């Protein structure tokens, strides 16, 4: 930009701005009136100025625009194949198959699907080495231009279910075997397609009520367990994150995650950027006045895009109470298509770069998360603190604080604890159980449970319909 356009205007320093603001406040205290503190302990100022900015952060963002990711749970292979082809024709750019049955044939699942320019994720809620090698990787090796990513996370299994797939030694031994036959991107003689397989299911921390510093620190500690136990991982690591409604903070959270991951990876000589899949949080979604969920997911997807996600999987507005359906999928996909094709959110690389407010938030979140991460490592590491129950207790404390804000009306969910429609009825429209499911069982650790803020209020409303 031509600086001569502004030469006739005298620069205004941050000190001058503060003096003018103090004058306008007519004696009210500047800090008490205009500075507020987030749940993470970050004080947010009313303005940010270049003369107070620190050195610019060096955050490497994706070279390519975000990909629109469609989730498909594989119950019937033929129908899942048809649905994948249909959604790709309707604007989806990548597909994530969740495969719960080891008998699913990858050959049949991929029949007729385009290989080039499409990323396929295989989310496996089990750890079966033969299946990963024979069913998925062998298929990938026969397709030179394929882009496949396996998502398997033994630590995530422990976090969510309270138990390993088998046990710690067997699960990590299985990953070592996969690493043994999986080609490495760092091998100069390798000509086979690279199939990443280390996945971090970190979205559960946000959905369970962890604050942003905890989410970042726990994700980093989660990653570090794999670095510690599977040295020389020769492919990008996939990070799954959930995005909340605090717009600018969520942008900063995504940027801080990339910064922290790069810092940690450098210590292990891991020369790959992380691959981030972002999904809107479930925590603030509501059963009543469910159309408001579309507004929430739109701003959350915007934060994910501006924060630098590689792929975004949107939540359907009726995700809580309806089974997967064509209409819900189409609306959620179209939200991303509008952001990409009509709002041009893919036109600028790293749009948040250099913004004083977001840079400040990014730096503070990263610094606080790094301190918490170091504390976790000093006390035995992430798995040890899970077994001791420390991680679960800290998340529960954070979740309770947020729940109290919601219950008191200080945290608002429109249509639920603010301006509810008393005539709204949902009891006869429920295809899915929208609340925390009770599943008593013997577990190694106390699992981390995802819970929405509005659950208790919604249960009371349903009981009174």
């Amino acid at each position: 930009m031509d600086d001569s356009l502004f030469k006739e205007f005298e620069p205004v320093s941050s000190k001058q701005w503060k003096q003018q603001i103090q004058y306008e406040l007519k004696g009210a205290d500047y800090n008490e009136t205009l500075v507020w503190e987030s749940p993470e302990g970050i004080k947010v100022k009313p303005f940010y100025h270049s003369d107070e900015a620190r050195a610019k952060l060096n955050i490497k963002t994706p070279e390519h625009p975000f990909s629109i990711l469609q989730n498909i749970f594989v119950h019937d292979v033929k129908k899942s194949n048809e649905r994948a082809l249909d959604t790709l024709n309707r604007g989806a750019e990548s597909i994530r198959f969740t495969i719960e049955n080891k008998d699913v044939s990858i050959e049949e699942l991929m029949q007729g699907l385009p290989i080039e320019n499409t990323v396929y994720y295989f989310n496996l809620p089990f750890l079966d080495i033969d299946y990963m090698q024979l069913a998925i990787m062998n298929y990938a090796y026969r397709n030179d231009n394929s882009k496949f990513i396996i998502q398997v996370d033994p630590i995530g299994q422990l976090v969510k279910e309270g138990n390993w797939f088998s046990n710690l030694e067997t699960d990590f031994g299985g990953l070592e075997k996969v690493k043994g036959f999986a080609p490495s991107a760092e091998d100069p003689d390798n000509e086979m397609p690279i199939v990443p397989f280390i996945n971090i299911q970190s979205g559960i921390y946000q959905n369970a009520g962890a604050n942003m510093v905890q989410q970042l620190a726990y994700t980093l500690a989660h990653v570090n367990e794999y670095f510690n136990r599977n040295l020389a991982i020769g492919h990008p690591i996939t990070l799954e994150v959930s995005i909340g409604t605090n717009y600018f903070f969520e942008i900063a959270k995504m940027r801080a995650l990339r910064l922290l991951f790069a810092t940690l990876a450098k210590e292990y000589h891991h020369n790959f950027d992380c691959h981030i899949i972002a999904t809107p949080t479930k925590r603030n979604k509501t059963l009543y006045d469910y159309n408001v969920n579309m507004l929430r997911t739109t701003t959350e997807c915007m934060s994910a895009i501006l924060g630098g996600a590689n792929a975004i999987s949107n939540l359907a507005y009726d995700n809580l109470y309806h089974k997967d359906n064509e209409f819900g999928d189409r609306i959620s996909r179209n939200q991303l298509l509008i952001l990409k094709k009509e709002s041009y959110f893919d036109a600028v690389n790293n749009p948040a770069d250099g913004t004083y407010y977001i840079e400040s938030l990014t730096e503070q979140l990263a610094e606080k998360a790094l301190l918490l991460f170091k504390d976790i490592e000093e006390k035995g590491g992430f798995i040890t603190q899970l077994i001791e129950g420390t991680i679960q207790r800290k998340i529960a404390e954070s979740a309770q604080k947020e729940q109290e804000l919601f219950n008191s009306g200080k945290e608002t969910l429109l249509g639920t604890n603010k301006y509810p429609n008393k005539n709204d009825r949902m009891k006869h429209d429920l295809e899915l159980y929208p609340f925390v499911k009770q599943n008593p069982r013997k577990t190694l650790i106390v699992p981390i449970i995802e819970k929405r803020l509005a659950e208790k209020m919604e249960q009371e409303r349903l009981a009174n319909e």
Side-chain angles (χ1 to χ4, degrees):
M1 183 178 290
D2 188 356
D3 291 337
S4 64
L5 291 172
F6 303 98
K7 284 183 178 179
E8 60 186 279
F9 299 101
E10 289 293 328
V12 181
S13 68
S14 61
K15 183 178 179 181
Q16 289 173 296
W17 275 113
K18 286 178 183 177
Q19 288 173 342
Q20 182 63 34
I21 291 171
Q22 192 66 62
Y23 171 77
E24 297 290 345
L25 287 173
K26 302 184 186 304
D29 186 87
Y30 174 88
N31 289 318
E32 290 184 5
T33 307
L34 298 179
V35 177
W36 59 274
E37 187 170 311
S38 77
E40 295 78 18
I42 294 175
K43 292 185 177 180
V44 181
K45 300 182 294 185
F47 75 96
Y48 290 78
H49 196 283
S50 60
D51 62 15
E52 294 180 334
R54 300 187 192 180
K56 183 179 173 182
L57 298 175
N58 183 23
I59 300 175
K60 190 175 180 182
T61 52
E63 296 179 1
H64 304 290
F66 72 95
S67 172
I68 298 173
L69 174 60
Q70 179 69 54
N71 286 318
I72 298 178
F73 288 86
V74 181
H75 300 296
D76 182 296
V77 175
K78 187 174 184 296
K79 289 181 179 178
S80 297
N81 171 271
E82 292 171 351
R83 185 180 170 201
L85 187 58
D86 180 62
T87 55
L88 287 172
N89 290 331
R90 291 179 175 225
E93 297 164 327
S94 51
I95 300 290
R96 173 161 56 184
F97 292 114
T98 296
I99 303 172
E100 296 183 335
N101 188 342
K102 301 174 188 178
D103 295 327
V104 168
S105 166
I106 300 301
E107 297 273 359
E108 294 179 25
L109 189 61
M110 294 295 298
Q111 185 70 36
L113 296 179
I115 295 297
E116 294 187 29
N117 303 318
T118 305
V119 181
Y120 293 93
Y121 302 83
F122 298 97
N123 181 34
L124 305 182
F126 57 85
L127 180 58
D128 188 293
I129 310 308
D130 291 338
Y131 186 82
M132 291 171 68
Q133 181 178 15
L134 299 175
I136 300 176
M137 291 194 175
N138 284 356
Y139 182 86
Y141 300 158
R142 297 199 303 272
N143 295 274
D144 293 339
N145 297 318
S146 65
K147 295 180 182 178
F148 292 168
I149 295 176
I150 296 175
Q151 294 184 270
V152 62
D153 183 9
I155 298 175
Q157 169 74 8
L158 176 67
V159 167
K160 184 177 181 180
E161 300 295 336
N163 290 313
W164 298 97
F165 290 117
S166 296
N167 55 60
L168 187 151
E169 291 75 17
T170 302
D171 286 4
F172 277 94
L175 293 182
E176 283 288 345
K177 291 179 182 178
V178 176
K179 192 175 71 175
F181 61 71
S184 170
E186 294 182 325
D187 182 357
D189 298 324
N190 174 57
E191 296 180 355
M192 293 183 178
I194 304 302
V195 182
F197 60 89
I198 298 293
N199 183 64
I200 309 297
Q201 299 175 19
S202 68
I204 191 171
Y205 309 129
Q206 202 281 343
N207 284 312
N211 65 42
M212 290 188 197
V213 168
Q214 291 172 331
Q215 293 169 44
L216 290 168
Y218 298 160
T219 301
L220 201 63
H222 192 149
V223 172
N224 193 52
E225 291 288 348
Y226 287 115
F227 276 136
N228 269 329
R229 300 167 189 272
N230 288 275
L231 295 178
I233 299 172
H235 57 77
I237 293 175
T238 305
L239 307 180
E240 292 185 70
V241 300
S242 288
I243 304 298
T245 194
N246 194 342
Y247 188 73
F248 291 108
F249 269 72
E250 291 292 344
I251 296 172
K253 182 183 82 176
M254 294 279 290
R255 291 163 55 78
L257 180 57
R258 283 199 178 276
L259 187 64
L260 290 167
F261 180 89
T263 302
L264 180 65
K266 186 178 180 180
E267 296 297 316
Y268 290 94
H269 307 290
H270 180 78
N271 301 316
F272 304 95
D273 298 327
C274 55
H275 182 91
I276 298 179
I277 302 173
T279 304
T281 181
K282 299 174 186 174
R283 189 156 172 78
N284 64 358
K285 301 306 178 288
T286 54
L287 182 61
Y288 290 91
D289 220 339
Y290 48 76
N291 286 320
V292 180
N293 290 333
M294 282 188 275
L295 303 178
R296 298 178 182 126
T297 55
T298 298
T299 64
E300 288 156 4
C301 287
M302 289 165 66
S303 292
I305 297 167
L306 298 177
N310 296 90
I312 301 176
S313 171
N314 196 8
L315 283 180
Y317 74 98
D318 59 350
N319 171 270
L320 295 178
Y321 64 94
H322 274 169
K323 296 177 182 178
D324 288 347
N325 60 89
E326 194 276 335
F327 183 77
D329 282 350
R330 182 167 64 87
I331 294 297
S332 63
R333 189 169 55 247
N334 284 351
Q335 289 174 257
L336 290 169
L337 285 167
I338 289 171
L339 290 174
K340 191 168 191 175
K341 304 296 185 182
E342 296 186 22
S343 303
Y344 304 106
F345 266 60
D346 65 333
V348 179
N349 184 36
N350 199 5
D353 191 32
T355 53
Y356 307 134
Y357 177 39
I358 296 175
E359 290 272 295
S360 175
L361 293 179
T362 301
E363 191 168 28
Q364 291 181 78
L365 285 171
E367 288 175 351
K368 288 178 177 292
L370 191 58
L371 286 174
L372 180 54
F373 165 73
K374 290 179 179 179
D375 181 68
I376 292 169
E377 294 305 310
E378 286 173 0
K379 294 177 180 177
F382 189 63
I383 293 175
T384 296
Q385 292 223 317
L386 281 172
I387 293 171
E388 293 173 352
T390 304
I391 303 294
Q392 296 92 319
R393 187 181 74 254
K394 294 293 185 183
I395 292 177
E397 290 171 357
S398 176
Q400 183 58 36
K401 290 178 183 177
E402 188 181 19
Q403 189 69 55
E404 289 171 359
L405 290 174
F406 172 78
N407 294 343
S408 66
K410 293 180 180 178
E411 181 162 339
T412 300
L413 292 182
L414 291 178
T416 301
N417 68 341
K418 192 80 168 178
Y419 310 123
N421 178 4
K422 299 295 185 181
N423 297 319
D424 203 0
R425 297 290 182 268
M426 290 298 300
K427 182 178 290 186
H428 300 295
D429 203 18
L430 301 183
E431 296 177 355
L432 301 172
Y433 185 71
F435 308 116
V436 172
K437 298 179 178 66
Q438 300 296 326
N439 182 21
R441 64 196 185 281
K442 186 177 181 180
T443 58
L444 176 65
I445 68 167
V446 176
I448 294 175
I449 305 297
E450 298 178 336
K451 185 177 182 181
R452 295 182 298 108
L453 289 168
E455 289 201 12
K456 183 178 179 181
M457 190 173 290
E458 290 172 350
Q459 286 174 315
E460 293 172 352
R461 286 187 66 174
L462 282 172
N464 292 326
E465 283 188 14

